[in-house]
Amino acid sequence: MPQRPFQSSQPSPEFTEVTPLGHDAQSLADDLRRHFNWTLGRDRHCRSVYYTYTALAYTVRDRLMARWRDTRQAYEEADCRRAYYLSLEFLMGRTLNNALLNLGLDQPMQTALQQLGLQLEELLDAEHDAGLGNGGLGRLAACFLDSCATLQLPVMGYGIRYEYGMFRQRLRKGYQVEEPDHWLRDGNPWELERPEHTIRVQFGGRCEHTHDDHGRHRVRWIDTHDVLAVPYDTPIPGYRNGTVNTLRLWKAAATDEFKLDEFHAGAYPESVAAKNAAENITMVLYPNDASENGKELRLRQQYFLASATLQDILRRWLARPHRKLSNFAEKNCFQLNDTHPTIAVAELMRLLMDEHDMQWDEAWAIVTQSMAYTNHTLLPEALERWPVRLFANLLPRHLEIIYEINGRFLADIAQRWPDDAARLQRMSLIEDGPDPQIRMAYLALVACHKVNGVAALHSRLIQQHLFADFYALWPEKFTNKTNGVTQRRWLAACNPKLTTLIGQHIGEDFITQLDRLRDLRGLADDPAFQRQWHEIKFANKQALAARVASECGVQFDPQALFDIQVKRIHEYKRQLLNVLHIIHRYDRLLRGDDQGLVNRCILIGGKAAPGYVRAKEIIKLINNVAAHINGDTRIGERLRVVFFPDFRVTAMELICPAADLSEQISTAGKEASGTGNMKFMLNGALTIGTLDGANIEMREQVGEENFFTFGLTAEEVLKRRKHYDPNTIIAEDDDLKRVMGMLESGDFNAQEPGIFDPIIHAIRDPHDPWMTAADFRSYIDTQMRVDQCYQDQAQWTRMSILNTAASGRFSSDRTISDYNQEIWKLEPIKA
Ligand SMILES: *Cc1c(COP(=O)(O)O)cnc(C)c1O
């Protein structure tokens, strides 16, 4: 550890004693001025709104600090059991508005800004998104942090401080173009660097096996290339409860001696290059949603997070004199967000045995008692595997430990199922072959005492298919925790008008007890309430229409039905099925067969992984179809289509309050849960969806008469696969035949011949895993029911109210309280 100046002095009590800051408009206005003029040193010539935003952020951050310190101290004094949420992704979005809401500063700040002649909306808009995640999995982690703080649970998030988050998506000629997202360029007022808690992380080297003075086997991991991990803390305020939890993100930094080595050789530029290699570890988020790609840098990121986090926690644990490692598992537990941080299993074994002198059995007991694993996907291509040879080079000690875990595990299996070589091969942590692989999900299954899926169907399919062998062995480990979203961000902050209306009628308790929305059911038939509800939806649609006009140059009429599908672009999510419906609608309008069709504005948005060629072709197809239809003067207002660029958290905050219809149309059995579906339901959208993921539970809550269900079930999908014949389906369905005909005759790519051939072939392929043609008829028929329903606006609004009223179960507060009751077992601590 290099010498650091801040370890040499301790501040006096006089120095750390502070008077609380005022929460009134006048104090806020004074601090805004002070930060703008003195902290930032700007004056009246400063034209950039970003400095005003930063001054505002500092003003709010100041008011988090005392609560943050008090929460830390309350946890220390209570000496309480704690949980740590380990995730390679935290898709936080913006912080300012959420902090204003949770601190209860929104009203006084409005007044303060009015005094100063400033517009809150404009300032909020200056903040960059913290896009440190791909999609649902990363956003779930962010919602969980908000719920943990609101429930006053001692939970800390641990992740990576990527310099570059999720790429920015631009469109060029209808194709996705990725641009780097340098979100930290203008500074990040929400983070606090804590270099005094820097950790050293080792890579490479070799293992030396020796015996100590007592004749015990010892392992030393030596000749390693080390990297420093520097923590940056972000405050996570609970909702008006005094609690402020912590998200700790690690940044990689070169060690000083790393540079010195090169310096002796007289190679200064090379030394700077070496520094770069170390710091590259936290340079960029991998933009793959639900697929592994086996890159060494990604494994480095995973180990970097796991090692820095575990060392940090062990050090804090052992800093108090009465604590011993033997009771570590009583007071600490880890939740692994997917397999990404699973190397933590081997790292905790290494730290306990090699650094803290523990024997295997005792260390293994701590690991198994403290770790739990959440699975997020049923797609086999997403199950992470790492080549053994990569481990041998990068993490040789961890490879030894994984072999030992596997040896002991397979010995148990052989005892329970004698003479079952096939089972041993199926369950082994090492997949045999010319390039043997480590199965990270199996490592998590063996080491964790709890394993959960993220919706009822998903958890059942895990047990019956994906991990059936492990379920047979340890049924008691398996459990379900249906996902949720935080209503603070996804209703109170993003839909203030609806929040006010609901509050006026049923009170504001729903902001912390979402079940209370049930009380809206009694208002669903009230014409006056329906009118107000409808007017708010209309205003939200106007706001979205304005953005669509400025971003996409397309006019959306707020009277029309707003039909929305926003999420990562992936074949299993079937944006393609949506496109087939759009083309079918267009075909009907052209043929004058428009009976029963309402005016629709269809919006699709989402990013494709940069290496996912088919997903990028689908984006191009959506854009071509949109341009063709919007440019056809015969269609006019009847149908408008846009691809909304750069879909991200901040875009979702504008989009979900404005949706009439939410498209959740994945092939059944493929979407683990979905959380976008829940944000839409909360904001009064109706759902058209398959019986997949959490859709099933949403439909159960709201009643099937208020939900547009279509398509094959997960079981039917499995059965149909064996004799799936899309070409016959197409030939026998006149509508689908015409749609395919329009695609095949190049109606949408007259200037670009052949570009959609791969997509057309995929739909016609009997091995199409997503079975798009199989669900076409049922989807189209159900869409017609949607149109019919929308024609009766009172009826539609009634169903909209009932959807919001039934969304209480899908609060992440409920999800977190489920995790806590069954896995973490933490006591809430008042700060
Ligand atoms: C909620 C959310 C998601 C997840 O959407 P799904 O429809 O569940 O895949 C992805 N990205 C962003 C920005 C979100 O807010």
Side-chain angles (χ1 to χ4, degrees), residues 289-556:
D289 186 63
S291 77
E292 55 107 11
N293 67 4
K295 291 276 178 23
E296 175 179 332
L297 182 60
R298 170 72 170 178
L299 181 58
R300 282 183 188 269
Q301 291 182 338
Q302 296 181 349
Y303 178 64
F304 179 77
L305 167 63
S307 181
T309 300
L310 291 171
Q311 290 187 62
D312 192 42
I313 293 165
L314 285 174
R315 185 171 63 183
R316 201 163 44 240
W317 174 253
L318 293 171
R320 299 269 294 272
H322 63 286
R323 289 167 172 171
K324 297 191 295 286
L325 282 176
S326 53
N327 54 11
F328 178 80
E330 265 166 50
K331 291 291 186 82
N332 296 282
C333 63
F334 304 96
Q335 192 69 42
L336 307 178
N337 197 21
D338 216 295
T339 51
H340 312 153
T342 296
I343 188 60
V345 167
E347 175 66 357
L348 186 52
M349 287 299 287
R350 183 190 73 84
L351 290 168
L352 293 175
M353 295 191 303
D354 299 357
E355 307 283 330
H356 294 281
D357 247 2
M358 213 172 249
Q359 296 295 295
W360 181 279
D361 289 334
E362 200 186 350
W364 185 245
I366 290 176
V367 169
T368 52
Q369 284 163 34
S370 62
M371 297 224 174
Y373 158 58
T374 304
N375 174 275
H376 282 273
T377 173
L378 290 153
L379 303 180
E381 67 266 31
L383 285 187
E384 280 192 303
R385 302 168 324 147
W386 291 109
V388 166
R389 61 186 157 74
L390 191 58
F391 258 75
N393 283 325
L394 202 62
L395 302 169
R397 178 61 182 134
H398 300 78
L399 183 59
E400 291 180 346
I401 290 170
I402 290 169
Y403 278 146
E404 180 71 23
I405 294 172
N406 196 37
R408 289 167 182 250
F409 169 62
L410 292 181
D412 286 351
I413 299 300
Q415 204 161 54
R416 167 118 188 235
W417 285 281
D419 310 313
D420 193 345
R423 185 182 299 266
L424 288 177
Q425 205 173 56
R426 283 201 309 271
M427 296 182 79
S428 174
L429 304 191
I430 311 294
E431 182 180 305
D432 253 337
D435 188 18
Q437 310 273 322
I438 304 175
R439 297 161 160 162
M440 297 307 278
Y442 291 7
L443 178 60
L445 292 171
V446 170
C448 293
H449 68 291
K450 288 286 176 191
V451 178
N452 73 282
V454 291
L457 172 71
H458 173 230
S459 295
R460 180 163 66 74
L461 292 176
I462 281 177
Q463 296 168 14
Q464 292 175 350
H465 301 283
L466 197 63
F467 301 142
D469 287 325
F470 290 86
Y471 182 65
L473 178 61
W474 294 308
E476 69 285 355
K477 276 194 189 186
F478 287 76
T479 164
N480 173 246
K481 298 283 165 280
T482 298
N483 280 169
V485 300
T486 169
Q487 67 267 33
R488 267 78 61 189
R489 180 176 295 260
W490 296 114
L491 181 57
C494 74
N495 200 343
K497 291 192 179 84
L498 197 65
T499 301
T500 303
L501 176 68
I502 295 171
Q504 282 165 354
H505 285 82
I506 66 167
E508 290 186 347
D509 290 354
F510 68 93
I511 297 176
T512 50
Q513 301 164 53
L514 201 62
D515 283 332
R516 299 299 295 274
L517 289 177
R518 285 245 167 269
D519 298 347
L520 288 173
R521 282 189 301 187
L523 293 156
D525 291 301
D526 176 343
F529 187 74
Q530 284 182 353
R531 200 173 328 112
Q532 290 176 298
W533 190 273
H534 176 84
E535 277 167 14
I536 289 166
K537 181 64 81 180
F538 191 83
N540 292 337
K541 287 165 75 174
Q542 284 178 312
L544 176 59
R547 182 67 64 86
V548 166
S550 67
E551 286 279 325
C552 318
V554 175
Q555 298 303 318
F556 270 15

Side-chain angles (χ1 to χ4, degrees), residues 705-721:
E705 69 282 10
N706 299 306
F707 196 98
F708 297 103
T709 316
F710 75 95
L712 300 176
T713 64
E715 276 70 26
E716 288 166 346
V717 165
L718 286 178
K719 266 194 258 151
R720 273 293 280 283
R721 269 198 203 300

Side-chain angles (χ1 to χ4, degrees), residues 45-202:
H45 300 295
C46 174
R47 300 253 168 236
S48 168
V49 67
Y50 194 81
Y51 292 106
T52 320
Y53 153 75
T54 305
L56 177 50
Y58 283 151
T59 302
V60 175
R61 196 184 77 168
D62 287 346
R63 282 151 180 83
L64 285 165
M65 285 295 172
R67 294 175 173 92
W68 204 2
R69 177 202 56 200
D70 293 346
T71 304
R72 233 174 8 242
Q73 285 173 5
Y75 293 166
E76 269 307 303
E77 275 157 31
D79 203 10
C80 54
R81 180 173 161 85
R82 297 182 185 213
Y84 306 96
Y85 198 79
L86 271 62
S87 180
L88 270 286
E89 302 187 15
F90 286 91
L91 188 47
M92 303 296 283
R94 289 174 178 162
T95 295
L96 176 55
N97 198 30
N98 192 246
L100 285 172
L101 172 77
N102 281 16
L103 291 178
L105 288 174
D106 35 359
Q107 287 311 317
M109 188 62 84
Q110 287 277 10
T111 313
L113 292 175
Q114 254 161 30
Q115 273 181 30
L116 300 170
L118 296 167
Q119 282 290 320
L120 180 59
E121 291 300 314
E122 193 193 357
L123 299 181
L124 295 177
D125 219 37
E127 182 173 355
H128 297 282
D129 268 41
L132 308 185
N134 274 284
L137 173 151
R139 183 54 231 175
L140 184 77
C143 284
F144 279 5
L145 294 181
D146 181 78
S147 287
C148 289
T150 295
L151 293 168
Q152 303 197 294
L153 296 176
V155 177
M156 207 170 149
Y158 272 102
I160 290 180
R161 181 180 176 275
Y162 301 106
E163 292 283 336
Y164 292 86
M166 191 61 207
F167 64 81
R168 285 217 312 247
Q169 181 191 56
R170 291 269 159 82
L171 294 172
R172 206 158 58 213
K173 298 188 169 152
Y175 287 101
Q176 167 176 297
V177 178
E178 301 92 21
E179 285 182 0
D181 162 45
H182 199 186
W183 70 293
L184 293 167
R185 191 187 44 211
D186 301 321
N188 174 9
W190 301 107
E191 66 181 13
L192 213 59
E193 185 183 0
R194 293 211 181 274
E196 67 274 27
H197 297 314
T198 297
I199 300 272
R200 175 182 288 262
V201 176
Q202 298 172 270

Side-chain angles (χ1 to χ4, degrees), residues 740-810:
M740 293 304 289
M742 289 164 82
L743 272 173
E744 283 162 350
S745 57
D747 286 9
F748 304 103
N749 54 321
Q751 317 306 323
E752 304 158 301
I755 58 168
F756 299 131
D757 290 359
I759 291 179
I760 294 164
H761 288 144
I763 298 171
R764 289 188 173 279
D765 184 350
H767 301 293
D768 171 18
W770 323 112
M771 302 217 279
T772 303
D775 279 344
F776 175 83
R777 177 43 46 199
S778 156
Y779 182 51
I780 298 302
D781 291 346
T782 307
Q783 287 284 17
M784 292 308 117
R785 288 205 289 122
V786 171
D787 283 66
Q788 201 176 38
C789 186
Y790 193 74
Q791 286 177 357
D792 183 347
Q793 284 284 302
Q795 172 65 1
W796 185 277
T797 301
R798 179 178 172 277
M799 287 167 69
S800 166
I801 296 166
L802 290 175
N803 266 269
T804 300
S807 65
R809 181 174 151 70
F810 305 104

Side-chain angles (χ1 to χ4, degrees), residues 530-813:
Q530 284 182 353
R531 200 173 328 112
Q532 290 176 298
W533 190 273
H534 176 84
E535 277 167 14
I536 289 166
K537 181 64 81 180
F538 191 83
N540 292 337
K541 287 165 75 174
Q542 284 178 312
L544 176 59
R547 182 67 64 86
V548 166
S550 67
E551 286 279 325
C552 318
V554 175
Q555 298 303 318
F556 270 15
D557 172 9
Q559 305 277 5
L561 187 162
F562 279 24
D563 169 348
I564 297 185
Q565 186 177 25
V566 283
K567 47 183 73 242
R568 289 301 291 255
I569 308 295
H570 202 295
E571 287 163 286
Y572 86 81
K573 292 177 181 282
R574 293 201 297 196
Q575 281 89 2
L576 195 48
L577 183 59
N578 194 340
V579 174
L580 296 184
H581 167 243
I582 293 170
I583 297 173
H584 165 67
R585 245 180 135 80
Y586 175 53
D587 173 45
R588 279 190 58 183
L589 290 169
L590 286 182
R591 289 188 289 111
D593 173 23
D594 62 351
Q595 253 253 311
L597 293 188
V598 300
N599 292 355
R600 278 208 202 204
C601 298
I602 302 178
L603 182 150
I604 302 177
K607 291 170 184 172
Y612 190 171
V613 173
R614 177 60 48 81
K616 294 175 112 174
E617 290 168 353
I618 291 170
I619 291 177
K620 172 64 172 165
L621 174 63
I622 297 165
N623 278 301
N624 276 29
V625 169
H628 188 86
I629 293 175
N630 299 336
D632 188 337
T633 52
R634 296 169 294 181
I635 300 305
E637 301 263 275
R638 301 287 277 136
L639 179 60
R640 292 272 155 83
V641 184
V642 299
F643 184 88
F644 190 94
D646 201 32
F647 175 62
R648 62 200 188 284
V649 170
T650 296
M652 187 58 155
E653 289 168 5
L654 177 70
I655 291 169
C656 71
D660 293 309
L661 184 67
S662 156
E663 301 267 353
Q664 307 298 336
I665 59 178
S666 52
T667 309
K670 297 297 176 188
E671 185 75 271
S673 162
T675 49
N677 48 2
M678 300 168 185
K679 298 166 199 166
F680 284 111
M681 184 189 197
L682 185 57
N683 285 277
L686 275 57
T687 303
I688 182 165
T690 47
L691 290 173
D692 200 14
N695 290 355
I696 296 173
E697 292 157 78
M698 287 166 45
R699 174 174 176 265
E700 215 167 81
Q701 291 292 310
V702 73
E704 57 183 324
E705 69 282 10
N706 299 306
F707 196 98
F708 297 103
T709 316
F710 75 95
L712 300 176
T713 64
E715 276 70 26
E716 288 166 346
V717 165
L718 286 178
K719 266 194 258 151
R720 273 293 280 283
R721 269 198 203 300
K722 294 174 204 112
H723 43 89
Y724 178 52
D725 180 7
N727 290 302
T728 304
I729 296 174
I730 293 166
E732 291 175 355
D733 186 318
D734 287 342
D735 290 331
L736 183 52
K737 192 159 55 182
R738 270 197 302 275
V739 167
M740 293 304 289
M742 289 164 82
L743 272 173
E744 283 162 350
S745 57
D747 286 9
F748 304 103
N749 54 321
Q751 317 306 323
E752 304 158 301
I755 58 168
F756 299 131
D757 290 359
I759 291 179
I760 294 164
H761 288 144
I763 298 171
R764 289 188 173 279
D765 184 350
H767 301 293
D768 171 18
W770 323 112
M771 302 217 279
T772 303
D775 279 344
F776 175 83
R777 177 43 46 199
S778 156
Y779 182 51
I780 298 302
D781 291 346
T782 307
Q783 287 284 17
M784 292 308 117
R785 288 205 289 122
V786 171
D787 283 66
Q788 201 176 38
C789 186
Y790 193 74
Q791 286 177 357
D792 183 347
Q793 284 284 302
Q795 172 65 1
W796 185 277
T797 301
R798 179 178 172 277
M799 287 167 69
S800 166
I801 296 166
L802 290 175
N803 266 269
T804 300
S807 65
R809 181 174 151 70
F810 305 104
S811 167
S812 47
D813 298 347

